[in-house]
Each structure stands twice: as structure tokens, then as C-alpha cells.
């Protein structure tokens, strides 16, 4: 039987891959996808703890995380479309209008 | 050690999810990244099944791979990113520091999980199978978690309005 540690390590590795994606890529859409990767690794942790502790709360939380992720994807992609319309680029190094 | 079917399945799905996650952040074309992200979501759905969370596994495929990823693909196709290919991804010292710090975080988590001597619970198989079913989750959702479930509708409404307002051509 697979231990809980294996699931935790797997989700830690996936989370770190997502963090590296956010920190190193410059295409806004790929940064966004890395965030989805991180959300999913946390979901895996929640489901693993839920199954091993016999507590359904973790799976409920995953359900709500997915709802938030769907809302976030819709609003985030709308922001990306608006940005692309105004700046004609998705390079996050060039999108710095909030920087003083 | 005899490899049971469950163990083989877990390591296969874990390798698939890590490999596809690496492909997501290394591919140059966003379309390839989306396709590998879908592979990652499917392997995660398989991992949920090894944890007896059937409902979450199905929702993962329907909502994530089905809805959210189609939205991503749709936006990428819409934006016509052909000339974005030249968006140079240089390797600078800042990126090396970022990768180094990320690995430091990974090492910390690895230490906490594997070497700190923390006692982790073992799985009660019958209970795990019981709480993963649609029936159990539905009952919990409409009794214990009824209030957050209703609040979710406000969140989705806000997201719909936000997306429409953002994507409009002119904001009057």
C-alpha cells in the first residue's frame, strides 16, 4: 500500500515545479498555467489527507478550490485579453504599468 | 519487495504527472503547455482514484480538463500569438536564484515529510472508500457545507460579471 508520505512528496515536487514556472517564465499565459499546477498539487495534498484521515472535509475543500479556480481562470483570462488588446504583448516584463 | 498493482499504478501516474508538469513549464509554445497540462490533470485524476476519491476524480476531468483547459486553448487561439514565439526566454542569474530558492523550499518540505520523524496516519480502507462516493459527498455538501456551497454562487456571479466587464471593448 502507498504511504501518505509518497503523496505529500509528489505534491511538493509538483508545487515546486509550478513555483519555478511562475518565477522563470515570461509568457503571461504560461505563468497562469503554472498557478493552476500549484493549485492542483495542493488539491492532491488535501485529497490524500482526506483519504488517510477518513475525514470528508478535505474533499469538500477541493470542491471549493475547483470552483475558485474556475472563477479565477475566467477572470484571469479576461484580464489577459484586455492586456493583450492594450499592449499587444503577453511578455510580463513589458507589462509594468503598475510599477512606479 | 513485490510490486503490487497499486504500487505500479501509483509510480506510473506520479512519473507521468511530474514529467508533464516539467513539460508545461519548459515548452516554448503555449499550446503545447496546455496539452501537457491536460496530461497532468488526467494523471492527477488517476491519483485521486488510487485514493478512492471517485467524485473528485470525475470532477477533475470534467471541470479542469474539460472546461478550464478549453478556456485556455480558446484564449491562446484567439490572441494569435504567432509573433510571440520570439519572446526570448533567457537564462539570467535572477532565474538561477529563483530556481535555487524553489529547490530550497522543496528540501524543507522533504525534510518535514521524510526525516523529521513525524507520525503519519495510516489508511482505513473502508472509511476511505465510503467518503469518496458521490452519495456521501452530496450529503455532506447539502448539510454540513450548505452555507459555503450557497456562497459559491455569489463567487461565480462575481466572476461572470468580472469577466464580461474585463473583456469588453470599451469601458464607459
Amino acid at each position: 500500500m502507498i504511504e501518505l508520505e509518497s503523496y505529500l512528496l509528489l505534491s511538493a515536487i509538483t508545487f515546486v515545479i509550478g513555483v519555478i514556472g511562475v518565477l522563470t517564465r515570461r509568457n503571461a499565459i504560461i505563468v497562469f498555467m503554472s498557478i493552476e499546477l500549484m493549485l492542483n498539487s495542493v488539491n492532491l495534498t488535501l485529497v490524500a489527507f482526506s483519504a488517510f484521515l477518513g475525514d470528508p472535509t478535505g474533499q469538500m475543500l477541493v470542491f471549493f478550490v475547483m470552483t475558485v479556480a474556475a472563477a479565477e481562470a475566467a477572470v484571469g483570462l479576461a484580464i489577459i485579453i484586455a492586456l493583450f488588446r492594450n499592449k499587444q504583448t503577453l511578455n510580463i516584463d513589458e507589462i509594468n504599468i503598475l510599477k512606479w | 519487495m513485490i510490486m503490487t498493482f497499486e504500487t505500479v499504478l501509483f509510480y506510473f501516474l506520479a512519473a507521468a504527472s511530474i514529467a508533464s508538469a516539467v513539460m508545461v513549464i519548459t515548452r516554448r509554445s503555449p499550446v503545447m503547455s496546455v496539452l501537457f497540462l491536460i496530461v497532468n490533470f488526467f494523471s492527477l485524476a488517476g491519483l485521486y482514484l488510487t485514493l478512492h476519491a471517485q467524485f473528485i476524480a470525475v470532477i477533475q476531468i470534467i471541470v479542469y480538463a474539460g472546461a478550464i483547459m478549453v478556456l485556455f486553448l480558446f484564449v491562446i487561439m484567439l490572441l494569435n500569438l504567432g509573433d510571440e514565439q520570439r519572446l526570448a526566454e533567457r537564462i539570467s542569474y535572477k532565474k538561477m536564484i529563483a530556481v535555487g530558492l524553489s529547490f530550497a523550499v522543496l528540501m524543507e518540505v522533504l525534510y518535514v515529510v521524510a526525516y523529521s520523524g513525524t507520525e503519519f496516519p495510516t489508511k482505513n480502507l473502508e472509511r476511505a472508500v465510503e467518503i469518496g462516493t458521490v452519495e456521501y459527498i452530496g450529503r455532506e455538501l447539502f448539510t454540513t457545507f450548505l452555507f459555503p456551497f450557497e456562497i459559491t454562487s455569489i463567487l461565480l456571479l462575481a466572476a461572470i460579471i468580472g469577466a464580461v466587464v474585463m473583456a469588453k471593448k470599451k469601458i464607459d
Side-chain angles (χ1 to χ4, degrees):
Chain A
M1 200 171 95
I2 310 292
E3 297 298 313
L4 179 57
E5 286 95 321
S6 312
Y7 288 102
L8 295 183
L9 283 179
L10 173 62
S11 84
I13 291 170
T14 321
F15 187 86
V16 167
I17 292 173
V19 171
I20 293 174
V22 169
L23 291 177
T24 58
R25 292 304 301 257
R26 292 156 79 209
N27 188 329
I29 290 185
I30 293 181
V31 169
F32 209 45
M33 279 189 257
S34 304
I35 294 174
E36 296 288 333
L37 215 55
M38 288 154 75
L39 277 172
N40 270 280
S41 76
V42 174
N43 279 354
L44 181 63
T45 312
L46 287 168
V47 174
F49 269 112
S50 165
F52 277 83
L53 291 170
D55 187 349
T57 313
Q59 294 189 21
M60 292 297 130
L61 199 49
V62 170
F63 186 80
F64 292 119
V65 167
M66 282 183 183
T67 323
V68 172
E72 175 236 341
V75 175
L77 289 171
I79 291 175
I80 285 179
I81 290 176
L83 267 178
F84 189 76
R85 188 177 288 140
N86 288 322
K87 307 271 287 187
Q88 299 300 320
T89 181
L90 283 183
N91 186 346
I92 53 172
D93 286 348
E94 289 173 26
I95 302 168
N96 52 8
I97 44 178
L98 275 183
K99 213 192 238 175
W100 51 277
Chain B
M1 196 180 104
I2 299 168
M3 297 277 274
T4 60
F5 176 66
E6 197 189 355
T7 322
V8 174
L9 191 65
F10 173 79
Y11 283 111
F12 174 73
L13 290 168
S17 84
I18 291 175
S20 57
V22 170
M23 293 301 259
V24 168
I25 65 162
T26 52
R27 288 309 90 187
R28 179 148 292 198
S29 151
V31 177
M32 291 306 284
S33 288
V34 169
L35 295 180
F36 279 110
L37 196 53
I38 292 173
V39 174
N40 186 46
F41 287 166
F42 270 92
S43 53
L44 272 180
L47 285 167
Y48 294 155
L49 281 181
T50 66
L51 287 164
H52 316 286
Q54 316 155 18
F55 178 68
I56 298 295
V58 171
I59 288 291
Q60 172 85 9
I61 291 175
I62 295 175
V63 174
Y64 261 115
I68 297 182
M69 285 302 109
V70 169
L71 201 61
F72 269 92
L73 266 184
F74 192 72
V75 169
I76 290 170
M77 303 287 179
L78 200 68
L79 291 187
N80 187 23
L81 292 169
D83 52 347
E84 283 284 308
Q85 299 284 339
R86 63 185 160 72
L87 201 148
E89 300 277 358
R90 279 173 286 113
I91 295 174
S92 64
Y93 72 98
K94 279 183 194 166
K95 285 183 183 173
M96 298 314 288
I97 292 173
V99 172
L101 283 176
S102 310
F103 273 105
V105 172
L106 180 63
M107 288 304 138
E108 283 170 19
V109 177
L110 200 143
Y111 173 75
V112 170
V113 170
Y115 295 110
S116 67
T118 318
E119 287 288 317
F120 284 104
T122 49
K123 188 154 64 181
N124 179 350
L125 190 62
E126 283 168 18
R127 177 72 179 151
V129 171
E130 185 198 349
I131 64 169
T133 57
V134 181
E135 188 189 354
Y136 193 93
I137 287 192
R139 203 185 305 119
E140 279 289 306
L141 201 58
F142 287 106
T143 52
T144 321
F145 295 91
L146 183 62
F147 185 62
F149 181 76
E150 296 291 344
I151 292 295
T152 300
S153 62
I154 298 176
L155 174 77
L156 289 176
L157 180 67
I160 293 168
I161 295 172
V164 170
V165 170
M166 286 287 183
K168 242 169 51 168
K169 202 126 206 158
K170 277 204 197 81
I171 298 169
D172 310 311

